Amino acid sequence: MAEKKNLFSGIQPSGDFTIGNYYGAIKNWVKIQYDYNCYFCIVDLHALTVPQDAAALRRRTMECYAMLIASGLSLEETTLFVQSHVPAHSELMWLLNCFTYMGELSRMTQYKDKSVKQGENVRAALFDYPVLMAADILLYQTHLVPVGDDQKQHIELTRDIATRFNHLYSPTFEIPEGYYPKTGARIMSLQEPTSKMSKSDTNENAFISLKDAPDTIVRKLKRAVTDSEAAVHYDEKNKPGISNLIQIYASACDMDIENAQREVEGLSYADFKLRVAEAIIENLKPIQAEYARLMSDKAVLEEYMKVGADKAERTAVKTLRKVQKKVGLVPRGR
Ligand code: AMP
Ligand code: TRP
């Protein structure tokens, strides 16, 4: 049998995971975890590129880790770890900084968008964010990187840095490719259905968190923005609110849009919203039960994190040592 390809993805602990994260990314990770040699990383250092409350960041990192396990990621099948637990990420980032140009980083559209929101004091780390991401990916000789479209430019930069290094020295890094699964749903905000549902939205009614209780889910759906037509059918352009709810329903029931629409056609908006709420609640029930169990014993969770970090580090350090040697750093004696 051919060896499994390496797959790496990162997710920021910048808020509670939403059903957008779940239907758009995590659910797919759970499906593919047996097909690839998977690394999934909670990127806490990336979260620090914008202001964070220390206690909240610490709590969310634990919670996000537990939520990924509760969602179905296996600790045996995958390497699930916290970025800051593996210092090789920061170390390789510094070295890659020496092979990345200011011009390249200035062209990153995510930097342009995010820096505007930060006002006067934009952190240097926000500018450098893609280089840390490149380090994440390149440490594991990654073939595939599942991410949303908004990360395409960062993957391209990672490939450019890796190719440059390989040419300057000798083949060191696998050149990774973005992996954009066709089935990955894009879930939109419940309040502003033309923009993506985001875990860092300040309006709590805009997203459904994986931690939301059933009555909260029902309430948020009742308040979801629709239109005045009173016909449940999919039309992304003219009916973004209803189309988003059909997409959520389809994702929750593992159906395509056509079949999902057929099931709910003819319902009143009120009944349709309840149907969607029930489907989400059903999906989240086992996840929330497992999440509560995991969160009830922090010591066990910390032990899992340690095992994940040790496993990741063994691979990461091999790549880091090669790079250190090639650029001319003197090895530390044993
Ligand atoms: P983020 O929440 O931006 O850190 O994204 C983490 C992962 O979840 C990425 O793979 C995103 O593409 C995915 N994701 C985030 N929000 C959504 C959404 N509303 N719909 C689909 N996928 C999403
Ligand atoms: N920048 C990614 C995001 O915001 C998160 C991330 C960090 C990542 N490092 C990564 C994704 C490495 C894939 C691979 O979604």
Side-chain angles (χ1 to χ4, degrees):
M1 211 176 76
E3 219 175 292
K4 284 184 186 173
K5 285 190 171 172
N6 299 328
L7 180 145
F8 185 103
S9 199
I11 194 159
Q12 294 197 43
S14 52
D16 293 336
F17 290 155
T18 69
I19 56 168
N21 295 124
Y22 183 67
Y23 295 132
I26 301 168
K27 195 173 167 189
N28 190 53
W29 295 358
V30 172
K31 273 196 200 136
I32 60 178
Q33 65 182 325
Y34 303 100
D35 304 332
Y36 302 100
N37 182 25
C38 292
Y39 296 87
F40 295 117
C41 183
I42 308 277
V43 290
D44 52 351
L45 297 175
H46 274 104
L48 281 172
T49 54
V50 295
Q52 297 285 344
D53 175 75
L57 178 62
R58 203 173 293 125
R59 176 176 52 77
R60 280 208 215 99
T61 301
M62 297 294 281
E63 291 180 352
C64 288
Y65 193 87
M67 196 53 99
L68 289 181
I69 302 174
S71 300
L73 288 184
S74 152
L75 290 168
E76 283 83 43
E77 288 296 329
T78 71
T79 305
L80 186 58
F81 69 106
V82 176
Q83 187 182 36
S84 65
H85 291 176
V86 182
H89 289 247
S90 309
E91 295 177 70
L92 182 63
M93 173 181 137
W94 180 260
L95 297 175
L96 295 183
N97 264 329
C98 304
F99 300 91
T100 307
Y101 306 133
M102 298 290 285
E104 288 177 311
L105 292 175
S106 309
R107 283 195 289 276
M108 295 293 123
T109 54
Q110 190 170 75
Y111 169 71
K112 291 185 205 166
D113 295 345
K114 283 195 179 179
S115 56
V116 174
K117 292 186 196 142
Q118 299 300 316
E120 289 261 301
N121 292 321
V122 179
R123 297 169 182 213
L126 190 63
F127 188 65
D128 211 20
Y129 173 118
V131 184
L132 180 58
M133 181 161 163
D136 296 341
I137 296 168
L138 298 177
L139 278 174
Y140 300 93
Q141 304 298 341
T142 301
H143 300 93
L144 295 171
V145 189
V147 276
D149 278 358
D150 58 334
Q151 298 297 316
K152 252 184 191 163
Q153 213 185 9
H154 293 161
I155 306 290
E156 278 310 309
L157 177 69
T158 302
R159 291 168 57 90
D160 290 345
I161 299 171
T163 306
R164 182 174 305 148
F165 192 96
N166 286 352
H167 281 150
L168 264 172
Y169 297 93
S170 55
T172 310
F173 299 121
E174 183 69 40
I175 307 297
E177 276 180 44
Y179 173 97
Y180 311 98
K182 292 168 285 302
T183 51
R186 196 171 142 84
I187 308 294
M188 312 307 276
S189 156
L190 298 181
Q191 291 298 319
E192 240 181 277
T194 45
S195 55
K196 212 170 98 165
M197 180 180 286
S198 161
K199 57 170 135 64
S200 44
D201 203 311
T202 46
N203 180 355
E204 292 222 342
N205 286 319
F207 58 82
I208 292 176
S209 147
L210 297 188
K211 284 162 56 185
D212 279 347
D215 55 339
T216 309
I217 297 177
V218 171
R219 193 186 66 232
K220 287 183 178 177
L221 272 177
K222 277 189 183 157
R223 292 189 185 158
V225 169
T226 53
D227 52 61
S228 54
E229 201 190 39
V232 180
H233 71 93
Y234 194 89
D235 177 350
E236 236 176 88
K237 197 150 164 262
N238 299 308
K239 296 167 72 68
I242 287 293
S243 302
N244 186 36
L245 296 185
I246 296 177
Q247 170 64 260
I248 295 175
Y249 185 71
S251 299
C253 302
D254 252 330
M255 281 182 194
D256 56 27
I257 299 281
E258 290 74 42
N259 282 319
Q261 169 160 319
R262 210 163 301 137
E263 279 209 358
V264 293
E265 252 164 3
L267 292 180
S268 70
Y269 280 4
D271 287 345
F272 170 51
K273 284 175 160 185
L274 267 184
R275 246 322 239 290
V276 180
E278 278 161 16
I280 300 168
I281 292 166
E282 249 344 271
N283 271 196
L284 297 190
K285 210 187 274 172
I287 296 175
Q288 292 182 344
E290 179 62 4
Y291 174 76
R293 194 186 68 77
L294 288 161
M295 288 304 288
S296 69
D297 195 341
K298 299 278 159 56
V300 171
L301 208 52
E302 279 170 11
E303 183 55 32
Y304 290 162
M305 285 183 168
K306 184 175 181 314
V307 171
D310 287 348
K311 214 160 128 191
E313 186 152 57
R314 279 195 288 278
T315 307
V317 163
K318 277 188 206 151
T319 303
L320 178 67
R321 294 289 174 259
K322 273 191 211 163
V323 175
Q324 289 170 328
K325 188 168 167 204
K326 290 190 192 197
V327 300
L329 304 183
V330 175
R332 195 181 88 168
R334 281 173 197 277

